Amino acid sequence: MPIPFETFIPYVIITAMFGVTGAGLSGIRHYAGGGKKHRWSLDTWDRVLMDRDRRLTGVLRGQTDNAIAPPGFEVNQPWRGEKRFS
């Protein structure tokens, strides 16, 4: 039994919209992740290293192989000092 023409058009439209949505979401994740695969089950250590990499390279997922940190990195730390009394 052939598919009636009236039901074929909505089926194609719905399938196309799911495909467009999936491709768009995949593209956004790929772009937001710097072209790398999505990370799973991050713990505190991974987050600390990602923050360090962001401060070194300016990109959350960026990494560098330079043995010497860029100028100003020695004072660029995530820990905030206590407020001084004035």
Side-chain angles (χ1 to χ4, degrees):
M1 176 182 280
I3 298 175
F5 185 75
E6 296 85 16
T7 60
F8 185 66
I9 293 175
Y11 178 73
V12 169
I13 291 172
I14 290 171
T15 304
M17 289 299 117
F18 275 115
V20 167
T21 304
L25 184 60
S26 175
I28 289 172
R29 283 188 176 178
H30 181 76
Y31 178 74
K36 298 179 181 177
K37 291 183 178 180
H38 183 69
R39 292 186 176 183
W40 294 93
S41 89
L42 295 174
D43 58 0
T44 306
W45 179 252
D46 293 329
R47 288 190 177 94
V48 168
L49 289 181
M50 285 173 62
D51 186 46
R52 185 214 46 183
D53 292 342
R54 182 191 54 78
R55 290 185 291 116
L56 274 173
T57 62
V59 182
L60 182 66
R61 298 287 304 269
Q63 294 179 348
T64 182
D65 61 351
N66 294 337
I68 300 172
F73 187 74
E74 62 273 359
V75 295
N76 182 8
Q77 56 178 318
W79 295 297
R80 306 292 180 238
E82 63 184 7
K83 293 184 179 181
R84 298 293 176 187
F85 298 109
S86 47

mmCIF file of all heavy atoms in Angstrom, residues 55-76:
data_model
loop_
_atom_site.group_PDB
_atom_site.id
_atom_site.type_symbol
_atom_site.label_atom_id
_atom_site.label_comp_id
_atom_site.label_asym_id
_atom_site.label_seq_id
_atom_site.Cartn_x
_atom_site.Cartn_y
_atom_site.Cartn_z
ATOM 1 N N ARG A 55 43.287 31.198 31.261
ATOM 2 C CA ARG A 55 44.108 32.352 31.615
ATOM 3 C C ARG A 55 45.402 32.386 30.810
ATOM 4 O O ARG A 55 45.926 33.450 30.514
ATOM 5 C CB ARG A 55 44.415 32.335 33.116
ATOM 6 C CG ARG A 55 43.188 32.632 33.951
ATOM 7 C CD ARG A 55 43.489 32.750 35.439
ATOM 8 N NE ARG A 55 43.853 31.461 36.022
ATOM 9 C CZ ARG A 55 45.050 31.188 36.550
ATOM 10 N NH1 ARG A 55 45.976 32.110 36.601
ATOM 11 N NH2 ARG A 55 45.301 29.998 37.058
ATOM 12 N N LEU A 56 45.935 31.217 30.429
ATOM 13 C CA LEU A 56 47.163 31.174 29.632
ATOM 14 C C LEU A 56 46.926 31.550 28.180
ATOM 15 O O LEU A 56 47.697 32.293 27.585
ATOM 16 C CB LEU A 56 47.782 29.781 29.685
ATOM 17 C CG LEU A 56 48.709 29.485 30.848
ATOM 18 C CD1 LEU A 56 49.091 28.024 30.837
ATOM 19 C CD2 LEU A 56 49.926 30.357 30.791
ATOM 20 N N THR A 57 45.857 31.009 27.593
ATOM 21 C CA THR A 57 45.652 31.170 26.154
ATOM 22 C C THR A 57 44.528 32.134 25.794
ATOM 23 O O THR A 57 44.470 32.592 24.661
ATOM 24 C CB THR A 57 45.331 29.816 25.503
ATOM 25 O OG1 THR A 57 44.118 29.307 26.055
ATOM 26 C CG2 THR A 57 46.454 28.828 25.741
ATOM 27 N N GLY A 58 43.621 32.406 26.727
ATOM 28 C CA GLY A 58 42.481 33.264 26.420
ATOM 29 C C GLY A 58 41.282 32.491 25.905
ATOM 30 O O GLY A 58 40.242 33.066 25.653
ATOM 31 N N VAL A 59 41.426 31.181 25.725
ATOM 32 C CA VAL A 59 40.352 30.327 25.235
ATOM 33 C C VAL A 59 40.120 29.224 26.261
ATOM 34 O O VAL A 59 41.085 28.665 26.790
ATOM 35 C CB VAL A 59 40.715 29.696 23.875
ATOM 36 C CG1 VAL A 59 39.588 28.844 23.345
ATOM 37 C CG2 VAL A 59 41.076 30.772 22.873
ATOM 38 N N LEU A 60 38.862 28.899 26.545
ATOM 39 C CA LEU A 60 38.559 27.916 27.580
ATOM 40 C C LEU A 60 39.173 26.560 27.281
ATOM 41 O O LEU A 60 39.731 25.915 28.158
ATOM 42 C CB LEU A 60 37.046 27.770 27.753
ATOM 43 C CG LEU A 60 36.597 26.811 28.845
ATOM 44 C CD1 LEU A 60 37.003 27.338 30.214
ATOM 45 C CD2 LEU A 60 35.098 26.613 28.791
ATOM 46 N N ARG A 61 39.115 26.106 26.043
ATOM 47 C CA ARG A 61 39.639 24.784 25.695
ATOM 48 C C ARG A 61 41.029 24.845 25.082
ATOM 49 O O ARG A 61 41.548 23.855 24.611
ATOM 50 C CB ARG A 61 38.695 24.106 24.699
ATOM 51 C CG ARG A 61 37.298 23.839 25.210
ATOM 52 C CD ARG A 61 37.232 22.724 26.210
ATOM 53 N NE ARG A 61 37.768 21.476 25.735
ATOM 54 C CZ ARG A 61 37.081 20.523 25.135
ATOM 55 N NH1 ARG A 61 35.797 20.685 24.928
ATOM 56 N NH2 ARG A 61 37.660 19.424 24.755
ATOM 57 N N GLY A 62 41.645 26.025 25.071
ATOM 58 C CA GLY A 62 42.959 26.165 24.457
ATOM 59 C C GLY A 62 44.064 25.620 25.335
ATOM 60 O O GLY A 62 43.989 25.645 26.557
ATOM 61 N N GLN A 63 45.107 25.119 24.705
ATOM 62 C CA GLN A 63 46.268 24.619 25.430
ATOM 63 C C GLN A 63 47.517 25.147 24.741
ATOM 64 O O GLN A 63 47.504 25.441 23.551
ATOM 65 C CB GLN A 63 46.278 23.095 25.460
ATOM 66 C CG GLN A 63 45.133 22.521 26.252
ATOM 67 C CD GLN A 63 45.145 21.005 26.244
ATOM 68 O OE1 GLN A 63 45.860 20.388 25.479
ATOM 69 N NE2 GLN A 63 44.341 20.427 27.107
ATOM 70 N N THR A 64 48.577 25.259 25.495
ATOM 71 C CA THR A 64 49.829 25.741 24.944
ATOM 72 C C THR A 64 50.967 24.824 25.362
ATOM 73 O O THR A 64 50.887 24.157 26.396
ATOM 74 C CB THR A 64 50.106 27.190 25.397
ATOM 75 O OG1 THR A 64 51.311 27.633 24.794
ATOM 76 C CG2 THR A 64 50.211 27.301 26.896
ATOM 77 N N ASP A 65 52.006 24.785 24.550
ATOM 78 C CA ASP A 65 53.163 23.949 24.881
ATOM 79 C C ASP A 65 54.383 24.792 25.229
ATOM 80 O O ASP A 65 55.485 24.274 25.325
ATOM 81 C CB ASP A 65 53.477 22.998 23.730
ATOM 82 C CG ASP A 65 53.812 23.735 22.445
ATOM 83 O OD1 ASP A 65 53.628 24.960 22.402
ATOM 84 O OD2 ASP A 65 54.261 23.079 21.500
ATOM 85 N N ASN A 66 54.185 26.090 25.440
ATOM 86 C CA ASN A 66 55.301 26.948 25.826
ATOM 87 C C ASN A 66 55.740 26.602 27.250
ATOM 88 O O ASN A 66 54.927 26.489 28.157
ATOM 89 C CB ASN A 66 54.906 28.425 25.763
ATOM 90 C CG ASN A 66 54.614 28.865 24.351
ATOM 91 O OD1 ASN A 66 55.078 28.255 23.407
ATOM 92 N ND2 ASN A 66 53.840 29.913 24.217
ATOM 93 N N ALA A 67 57.047 26.477 27.437
ATOM 94 C CA ALA A 67 57.566 26.160 28.768
ATOM 95 C C ALA A 67 57.564 27.385 29.675
ATOM 96 O O ALA A 67 57.556 27.264 30.893
ATOM 97 C CB ALA A 67 58.978 25.610 28.659
ATOM 98 N N ILE A 68 57.554 28.573 29.075
ATOM 99 C CA ILE A 68 57.581 29.810 29.844
ATOM 100 C C ILE A 68 56.218 30.488 29.708
ATOM 101 O O ILE A 68 55.704 30.665 28.604
ATOM 102 C CB ILE A 68 58.689 30.744 29.332
ATOM 103 C CG1 ILE A 68 60.049 30.035 29.468
ATOM 104 C CG2 ILE A 68 58.686 32.055 30.092
ATOM 105 C CD1 ILE A 68 61.187 30.771 28.825
ATOM 106 N N ALA A 69 55.650 30.858 30.845
ATOM 107 C CA ALA A 69 54.343 31.515 30.838
ATOM 108 C C ALA A 69 54.479 32.919 30.260
ATOM 109 O O ALA A 69 55.543 33.541 30.346
ATOM 110 C CB ALA A 69 53.780 31.584 32.250
ATOM 111 N N PRO A 70 53.411 33.445 29.667
ATOM 112 C CA PRO A 70 53.475 34.794 29.120
ATOM 113 C C PRO A 70 53.660 35.833 30.233
ATOM 114 O O PRO A 70 53.372 35.561 31.398
ATOM 115 C CB PRO A 70 52.129 34.964 28.420
ATOM 116 C CG PRO A 70 51.245 33.945 29.006
ATOM 117 C CD PRO A 70 52.113 32.835 29.449
ATOM 118 N N PRO A 71 54.155 37.019 29.890
ATOM 119 C CA PRO A 71 54.351 38.048 30.911
ATOM 120 C C PRO A 71 53.026 38.403 31.590
ATOM 121 O O PRO A 71 51.992 38.506 30.945
ATOM 122 C CB PRO A 71 54.898 39.248 30.139
ATOM 123 C CG PRO A 71 55.214 38.775 28.782
ATOM 124 C CD PRO A 71 54.573 37.454 28.574
ATOM 125 N N GLY A 72 53.078 38.588 32.884
ATOM 126 C CA GLY A 72 51.891 38.938 33.647
ATOM 127 C C GLY A 72 51.147 37.749 34.200
ATOM 128 O O GLY A 72 50.231 37.909 35.002
ATOM 129 N N PHE A 73 51.500 36.532 33.792
ATOM 130 C CA PHE A 73 50.791 35.359 34.288
ATOM 131 C C PHE A 73 51.131 35.066 35.737
ATOM 132 O O PHE A 73 50.326 34.484 36.456
ATOM 133 C CB PHE A 73 51.090 34.131 33.421
ATOM 134 C CG PHE A 73 50.264 32.934 33.777
ATOM 135 C CD1 PHE A 73 48.935 32.870 33.433
ATOM 136 C CD2 PHE A 73 50.815 31.881 34.484
ATOM 137 C CE1 PHE A 73 48.166 31.768 33.766
ATOM 138 C CE2 PHE A 73 50.054 30.782 34.826
ATOM 139 C CZ PHE A 73 48.725 30.730 34.467
ATOM 140 N N GLU A 74 52.301 35.487 36.189
ATOM 141 C CA GLU A 74 52.686 35.194 37.570
ATOM 142 C C GLU A 74 51.808 35.934 38.576
ATOM 143 O O GLU A 74 51.680 35.514 39.721
ATOM 144 C CB GLU A 74 54.159 35.528 37.819
ATOM 145 C CG GLU A 74 54.510 36.994 37.638
ATOM 146 C CD GLU A 74 54.858 37.355 36.206
ATOM 147 O OE1 GLU A 74 54.850 36.484 35.345
ATOM 148 O OE2 GLU A 74 55.138 38.539 35.969
ATOM 149 N N VAL A 75 51.190 37.034 38.167
ATOM 150 C CA VAL A 75 50.271 37.738 39.063
ATOM 151 C C VAL A 75 48.813 37.483 38.688
ATOM 152 O O VAL A 75 47.916 37.995 39.323
ATOM 153 C CB VAL A 75 50.557 39.258 39.078
ATOM 154 C CG1 VAL A 75 51.919 39.531 39.650
ATOM 155 C CG2 VAL A 75 50.432 39.852 37.692
ATOM 156 N N ASN A 76 48.595 36.710 37.662
ATOM 157 C CA ASN A 76 47.244 36.402 37.202
ATOM 158 C C ASN A 76 46.813 35.096 37.854
ATOM 159 O O ASN A 76 47.049 34.026 37.332
ATOM 160 C CB ASN A 76 47.232 36.274 35.681
ATOM 161 C CG ASN A 76 45.865 36.004 35.143
ATOM 162 O OD1 ASN A 76 44.882 36.041 35.858
ATOM 163 N ND2 ASN A 76 45.794 35.699 33.866
#
